[in-house]
Amino acid sequence: MSDIDTAADRLAAIEARIARAAELAGRQRGEIELIAISKTKSIDEIAPLVAAGQASFGENRVQEAEAKWPALLDRAPPPGSQGHEVKLHLVGRLQSNKAKEAVALFDSIHSVDRSSLVEALARAVDATGRRPDCFVQVNIGEEAQKGGCPIDDLTGLLSQARDAGLAVIGLMAVPPLAVEPAPYFALLAKLAKRHGLARLSMGMSADFETAIMVGATDIRVGTALFGTRR
Ligand SMILES: *Cc1c(COP(=O)(O)O)cnc(C)c1O
């Protein structure tokens, strides 16, 4: 079996699981974006998934993405030729001093979580003329060591981001490990609804079906598509 078959097989298996979860939830498959999280994976590991038709990819570090994606985008089929164009998502913590590079490379940023970063991103949008979609990351389990804006600060951060001209489209969260994630997904959905945000970036390899049941629109799947990370 070639690498392309392997990538296509893995993608098809995840696609079938997404379709089934969407059906159980009474939702359309088209409401859910599958983001393939390719952090730590090499260009040679990622390219077969691009060739298999996967269009959205996520990375957690700006420098790693800058090292891999220009070459991968060169290889990606031209828009229209296979019906897809690659979109890049940043899902990891973003340092303010990398905001300009991030805005230049990524189509979506899922980790907007503090006031200083909103300011840096707004300056980067002005400087580059690019305006990526933004998700505000919420520290949904109120965990000391985790990224994300405290729930109590969400209203203020959202209005700051909107006033600064960022294209805020939704909320993102990573629930606490090793506990039932559904209540945290449900809380994120409630917060998004309260703030009039349509998109919910939640659900990873271990729990994306649960996330879909609770309304996820953007699921971030790494291990289940690429195998375990070294
Ligand atoms: C690594 C990562 C993922 C993917 O995790 P898997 O368990 O490998 O699917 C999703 N979201 C974020 C923020 C990540 O850092």
Side-chain angles (χ1 to χ4, degrees):
M1 195 193 287
S2 77
D3 282 349
I4 289 176
D5 292 332
T6 305
D9 288 349
R10 284 185 180 157
L11 185 58
I14 298 297
E15 276 296 338
R17 289 171 58 187
I18 295 170
R20 194 175 130 70
E23 192 183 337
L24 282 170
R27 304 179 61 198
Q28 302 292 319
R29 168 65 187 90
E31 295 170 30
I32 299 146
E33 175 98 353
L34 169 63
I35 304 171
I37 304 297
S38 49
K39 65 188 184 196
T40 80
K41 297 298 170 184
S42 68
I43 289 174
D44 288 343
E45 289 169 296
I46 298 168
L49 207 61
V50 178
Q54 173 61 25
S56 282
F57 288 84
E59 293 280 347
N60 68 338
R61 292 176 56 229
V62 175
Q63 260 169 320
E64 182 185 338
E66 282 179 325
K68 296 189 312 201
W69 279 97
L72 277 159
L73 294 173
D74 280 347
R75 287 199 207 175
S81 70
Q82 282 189 16
H84 77 290
E85 183 186 359
V86 170
K87 297 276 183 211
L88 290 181
H89 300 251
L90 180 66
V91 301
R93 185 172 170 84
L94 176 58
Q95 292 172 283
S96 295
N97 64 9
K98 296 266 166 53
K100 198 167 164 189
E101 286 94 328
V103 165
L105 182 62
F106 290 97
D107 299 290
S108 297
I109 297 175
H110 292 238
S111 47
V112 180
D113 65 353
R114 61 197 187 278
S115 189
S116 56
L117 181 58
V118 166
E119 287 171 15
L121 287 169
R123 283 195 299 274
V125 166
D126 285 344
T128 61
R130 280 178 51 92
R131 194 162 171 265
D133 288 337
C134 289
F135 292 78
V136 169
Q137 183 179 352
V138 181
N139 185 350
I140 202 73
E142 317 216 276
E143 297 172 281
Q145 76 287 5
K146 247 204 197 134
C149 145
I151 293 171
D152 286 347
D153 297 351
L154 180 60
T155 304
L157 190 64
L158 279 172
S159 52
Q160 186 203 350
R162 285 164 166 158
D163 291 349
L166 298 187
V168 180
I169 62 166
L171 300 181
M172 180 274 220
V174 181
L177 278 175
V179 296
E180 172 54 56
Y184 296 98
F185 293 152
L187 176 56
L188 194 73
K190 189 170 134 186
L191 292 170
K193 191 169 182 197
R194 182 182 300 161
H195 291 286
L197 292 164
R199 301 276 288 269
L200 282 169
S201 171
M202 60 189 196
M204 318 201 307
S205 291
D207 55 20
F208 68 83
E209 285 132 321
T210 303
I212 289 169
M213 297 296 291
V214 189
T217 60
D218 295 74
I219 57 172
R220 309 179 309 265
V221 178
T223 311
L225 278 169
F226 287 104
T228 45
R229 285 179 293 273
R230 290 170 294 275

